[in-house]
Amino acid sequence: MIKAITGTKDILPEDINKWYYVENLVKKVMQNFNYKELRTPVFEETGLFSRGIGEATDIVSKEMYTFIDRSSLSVTLKPEMTASVVRSFIEHSMDKKQNLNKLFYISPMFRQERPQAGRFRQFHQFGAEALGSNDPALDAEMILLAYDIFNSIGLKNLVVKINSLGVPESRERYKTELKKYLSDKIDKLSEESKKRLETNILRIFDSKEYQDKEIMKNAPILLDYLDDESLIQFEAVKKHLTAANIPFEIDPTLVRGLDYYTNTTFEVVSGSIGSQSALCGGGRYDLLIEQLGGKATPGVGFAAGIERLLLACENEGCLNLQPDSLDIYIVRLDNELKNLAYQYAVDFRRKGFNVELDYLQRSIKAQMREANKLNSKYVLFVGGDEYKNNEVVLKNMVSSEQKNISIDSINEIENIIRG
RNA sequence: GUGAGUAUAGCUCAGCCGGUUAGAGUAUCUGGUUGUGGCCCAGAAGGUCAUGGGUUCGAAUCCCAUUACUCACCCCA
């Protein structure tokens, strides 16, 4: 049997309403905040991601689905959206049409990681990017956007974490200090963290090893090394969040794995999913656009994982949607009247009703059971004695009341069903 | 990439210190009297016990390998 590729999932009809609900909610809230949807191709030139996200990041160095196409071009299935949005922004000179571009997306992403709870190789993100302003109000707006969406779905158990990475110069200064602090403690660090000394020193803060945690307790803090401007920016973000009634924690160890972040970074974490607890993550990237060949333009954005969102909903018991229902199920009393029953289906469907009927030549009892299973509000019986009197029978499946109606009074049936 | 655990009907699982024809619940289908659902009742169908090898008179059950899934590390949404 051919099965779906490891780490990919079919979204089955029984689950699709949850996806519709989330997607519609995202569109609605994005509209509230005046973000416009941007759809980009699922694959891009590989160079876009290696330059945008950073050659040395895990995403680029070991997780991308990269292949050479038939014209010898190296292409990559998008592992994240920001680089694509920026590419599109530059390519279409969006900055010339509008000073500030507020964009959102809902799209599949691809990363070849080992799957686990809340982590897949094809997964879906929604997110937003605001390009053209470094106003800290926009940083806060991103957090607000994500938080409002999670909130209105009914999720509790959320923590908003924020941090500031400052500008590259202050971060480098800090890294040097941190290295200095750790230089005489290297032997005590875990093997994993020793590697991180070279690859990604800030990550040592995330270590779950006891000895690492002890050492890092007294380590210098990034926030103490921020330049003045970054500090002012960070303070303003906090102020906006407080004003919007968003509870948040400052997490000086919050480092994101993509190279392009500057200043504000944030995550919204849920305690209701497994160890992959980040529902969304994002931050400011004031240097990325220039780095990808555009005019120097500040930007800020976030991305949220839909599978993780749905997992949290499942575990918290929210998002209980009404099951699908039908307006009319047409039951055929005589097999000879198949065509008439079908004609009714055609007519009522054209009027906008949800209509189903039997295609398996089944008994009346079986048709009724089917009508019940499909949550049909009404059943229309076609055939039998009533048909001989030029009538059909309309049954209300909730009250069980039945009414005979003249065979060509489609309008009467329509009126009853519309209430 | 590393580690641990799991693999029996569409789904959730029992059976496993080796011993006739592999079970339950649920879902599906068909009935329960002239032409009508839900609840209830009866029946039917549905499985190469993940795959390949080994031990044995005999393997769903024990051993090995492979694959897949799950969780965790790493990293991230």
Side-chain angles (χ1 to χ4, degrees), chain A residues 311-376:
Chain A
L311 183 60
C313 285
E314 187 150 328
N315 292 341
E316 291 191 24
C318 43
L319 209 62
N320 294 311
L321 306 177
Q322 293 292 317
D324 280 334
S325 65
L326 282 179
D327 296 311
I328 311 172
Y329 189 95
I330 299 173
V331 170
R332 174 181 23 71
L333 297 176
D334 305 311
N335 274 330
E336 308 82 73
L337 292 175
K338 244 182 105 173
N339 290 343
L340 179 63
Y342 194 75
Q343 189 57 46
Y344 273 114
V346 169
D347 291 344
F348 282 112
R349 283 168 175 164
R350 283 197 175 139
K351 284 177 180 293
F353 293 110
N354 300 337
V355 179
E356 185 56 294
L357 73 167
D358 172 61
Y359 296 97
L360 301 170
Q361 280 59 255
R362 301 206 290 184
S363 67
I364 292 159
K365 187 190 190 81
Q367 291 181 67
M368 285 303 288
R369 280 182 169 160
E370 186 73 4
N372 191 61
K373 196 173 82 183
L374 296 174
N375 278 319
S376 195

Side-chain angles (χ1 to χ4, degrees), chain A residues 11-50:
Chain A
I11 300 168
L12 298 173
E14 63 212 56
D15 298 319
I16 200 68
N17 282 341
K18 293 186 175 180
W19 285 80
Y20 286 161
Y21 184 89
V22 170
E23 288 162 6
N24 289 335
L25 179 70
V26 167
K27 287 176 190 169
K28 188 175 145 271
V29 176
M30 290 294 179
Q31 232 162 39
N32 289 153
F33 283 77
N34 190 33
Y35 284 74
K36 307 290 184 193
E37 184 171 0
L38 172 68
R39 300 189 188 186
T40 68
V42 282
F43 59 159
E44 300 269 4
E45 244 176 74
T46 301
L48 172 65
F49 300 117
S50 47

Side-chain angles (χ1 to χ4, degrees), chain A residues 71-105:
Chain A
S71 55
S72 305
L73 180 70
S74 177
V75 297
T76 296
L77 302 181
K78 58 187 172 190
E80 63 106 42
M81 192 67 179
T82 304
S84 293
V85 171
V86 168
R87 191 224 84 229
S88 179
F89 169 85
I90 297 169
E91 185 171 339
H92 299 285
S93 302
M94 291 187 193
D95 59 327
K96 304 264 167 50
K97 300 175 202 162
Q98 209 163 352
N99 289 328
L100 174 62
N101 281 274
K102 294 171 68 170
L103 306 165
F104 83 93
Y105 57 84

Side-chain angles (χ1 to χ4, degrees), chain A residues 110-334:
Chain A
F110 307 85
R111 293 181 201 172
Q112 191 164 2
E113 297 183 85
R114 192 76 156 253
Q116 75 185 72
R119 191 166 77 183
F120 307 94
R121 290 185 173 180
Q122 177 175 175
F123 59 102
H124 299 78
Q125 292 186 332
F126 66 83
E129 315 285 349
L131 310 175
S133 165
N134 63 1
D135 188 337
L138 279 173
D139 303 36
E141 184 166 297
M142 289 297 160
I143 299 170
L144 195 55
L145 253 176
Y147 193 81
D148 277 6
I149 289 171
F150 299 149
N151 222 12
S152 58
I153 281 177
L155 288 175
K156 319 274 181 218
N157 215 353
L158 298 175
V159 178
V160 177
K161 294 181 176 180
I162 63 168
N163 189 25
S164 176
L165 298 177
V167 295
E169 296 79 50
S170 59
R171 208 182 329 165
E172 284 312 312
R173 200 148 36 89
Y174 167 70
K175 279 187 189 171
T176 312
E177 284 304 311
L178 186 58
K179 221 172 242 177
K180 212 183 282 174
Y181 167 80
L182 289 172
S183 59
D184 58 340
K185 304 178 182 64
I186 294 177
D187 294 344
K188 295 181 198 145
L189 286 172
S190 67
E191 286 308 309
E192 203 63 57
S193 288
K194 277 180 197 161
K195 278 186 218 153
R196 285 190 272 226
L197 270 176
E198 298 309 319
T199 57
N200 201 344
I201 191 166
L202 300 181
R203 285 255 164 236
I204 300 177
F205 281 105
D206 296 339
S207 175
K208 281 152 192 165
E209 301 291 334
Y210 176 76
Q211 70 263 36
D212 294 347
K213 283 185 185 169
E214 283 301 303
I215 291 171
M216 300 316 279
K217 262 185 196 165
N218 300 315
I221 295 295
L222 174 57
L223 288 174
D224 295 335
Y225 288 79
L226 286 191
D227 57 291
D228 291 346
E229 205 179 312
S230 296
L231 261 181
I232 291 168
Q233 175 98 9
F234 193 48
E235 287 306 315
V237 172
K238 287 193 267 183
K239 216 168 173 180
H240 280 109
L241 288 177
T242 307
N245 238 337
I246 304 280
F248 62 89
E249 285 176 12
I250 294 161
D251 181 353
T253 72
L254 176 65
V255 186
R256 319 231 66 253
L258 294 77
D259 279 356
Y260 51 63
Y261 286 115
T262 53
N263 281 304
T264 316
T265 58
F266 62 89
E267 275 183 7
V268 180
V269 170
S270 167
S272 304
I273 48 184
S275 74
Q276 305 302 309
S277 59
L279 282 179
C280 82
R284 184 160 275 289
Y285 44 88
D286 289 345
L287 306 173
L288 176 63
I289 295 167
E290 189 174 14
Q291 193 185 316
L292 286 176
K295 203 180 83 190
T297 308
V300 61
F302 80 93
I306 298 180
E307 283 85 355
R308 285 185 190 177
L309 174 58
L310 292 174
L311 183 60
C313 285
E314 187 150 328
N315 292 341
E316 291 191 24
C318 43
L319 209 62
N320 294 311
L321 306 177
Q322 293 292 317
D324 280 334
S325 65
L326 282 179
D327 296 311
I328 311 172
Y329 189 95
I330 299 173
V331 170
R332 174 181 23 71
L333 297 176
D334 305 311

